[in-house]
Amino acid sequence: MRIWGRGKRYQSRLQTYLMAFCTVFITIAMVEFPKEAFDSAIVGLNLWWNVVFPSLLPFFIVSEILMGVGVVHFIGVLLEPLMRPVFNVPGVGAFAMSMGLASGYPMDAVITCKFRKNQLCSAVEAERLLSFTNTADPLFMFGAVAVGMFGMPEIGATIAIAHYVASFIVGVLFRFHGRHRDTKPSEQTSQSGGNIVVRAFRAMFDARQEDRRSFGQLLGDSVKNSMNTILLIGGFIILFSVFLRILSVVGITGYLDTLFAVLLSSFGISTSLAPALVSGLFEIDLGALAASQANAPLTEKVMIASAIIAWSGLSVHGQVASIVIESGIRMTPYMVARVLHAIFAAILTAVLMGPCQGITKLFITPVMFNVGSANTFAFWGARIEQVGYQLLLLLSLLISISITIHIVRSLFTYVVKR
């Protein structure tokens, strides 16, 4: 016991010294290379203002309102028969999953954190939820990556199918995570009797009664909280943009190139993709772009791009950490899930581009937006419309499956009792 306590103290000291060293190093480097730091900060700011801010803020606000009026609680009861057996999370997890699928990073983290704060899930259920809801949105994979970076719309379906199937596999594996930490309250919803639709409406009414805020106050709070979150995300985007540029200037990325080259060669993959992995380690867009421009076979380039998208980059991880840390959700399971997601996505991409390439032809590539008009109101109006449509479609499909499972179970129980 004494040895364990001493080890914890040493670990805490080591973390403190390491954090202090890294902070001082980055500060000195920014003073030494002010132009590079300033230029990279501008790049991060432009990315946040032109892409992240308009694409995520409306959905942050809407998710807050839906939670305040009880719609999320309504969905949670309806989807409990599906989400609990498959992923071992409450039914409300389907809302986080759908929003993550439709609008991308880090929407899932924002919603999961709100679930935890509102006692809609336990800490371990939140960790399970984060493991498989952290996904890229379809527009990024079909439009930005397949069309904009690779210039090949047909590989969009390959990347998307591998990404989402790999995420599903991670979610099923993580249903066993932290089972010893499960508590009885998390089981209550699934054990409630009566008509599931009636219980769903009752849950929505109870949630609204408990909230008690007028719609005007709810709207104001939603805008205020969403703005705080979007500003926090913007700060992390700018910070990691500067951080990655500083590492490149001082030559640290060169050592990482060598490390990843050795790793890739051990799997028989072209070492020219090592710089893409280094960039993707920190930032998803830069990594995917580097993979598309590498001098390597197409299958290997798409595999690495798929792995980078699943990993999502330390920039996104920093955003997730800043969002969930105050709710007591641990980041270690999330990081393990991201590694597994990247591995599974790369393997599935290789399979889909090889022996199973005919599967992707069954999926019709959605209509792409013109990348050149990405800063216009028409683009973002179409973007919001598409995401809203995808969200409604996903939730409708999941609710239909969940209610079907509930009816089949009820009939089976009735027949057994007879």
Side-chain angles (χ1 to χ4, degrees), residues 16-30 243:
T16 301
Y17 298 150
L18 183 61
M19 288 174 60
F21 172 79
C22 290
T23 305
V24 171
F25 171 77
I26 293 297
T27 303
I28 294 174
M30 289 173 62
F243 182 61

Side-chain angles (χ1 to χ4, degrees), residues 287-320:
L289 179 61
S292 68
Q293 296 174 345
N295 183 21
L298 177 62
T299 299
E300 294 181 4
K301 292 199 294 185
V302 179
M303 282 176 58
I304 296 301
S306 186
I308 290 170
I309 295 169
W311 166 251
S312 70
L314 291 177
S315 176
V316 172
H317 300 170
Q319 298 170 37
V320 172

Side-chain angles (χ1 to χ4, degrees), residues 219-237:
L219 180 60
D221 291 343
S222 300
V223 173
K224 181 179 65 176
N225 295 336
S226 299
M227 282 299 299
N228 289 337
T229 303
I230 207 76
L231 286 171
L232 185 67
I233 292 171
F236 268 88
I237 291 175

Side-chain angles (χ1 to χ4, degrees), residues 168-179:
F168 180 85
I169 294 172
V170 171
V172 173
L173 291 177
F174 263 73
R175 76 180 308 278
F176 303 104
H177 163 68
R179 296 186 70 175

Side-chain angles (χ1 to χ4, degrees), residues 267-287:
F267 288 98
I269 300 175
S270 174
T271 57
S272 63
L273 288 162
L277 284 177
V278 174
S279 297
L281 175 67
F282 297 97
E283 218 286 317
I284 180 174
D285 299 272
L286 297 176

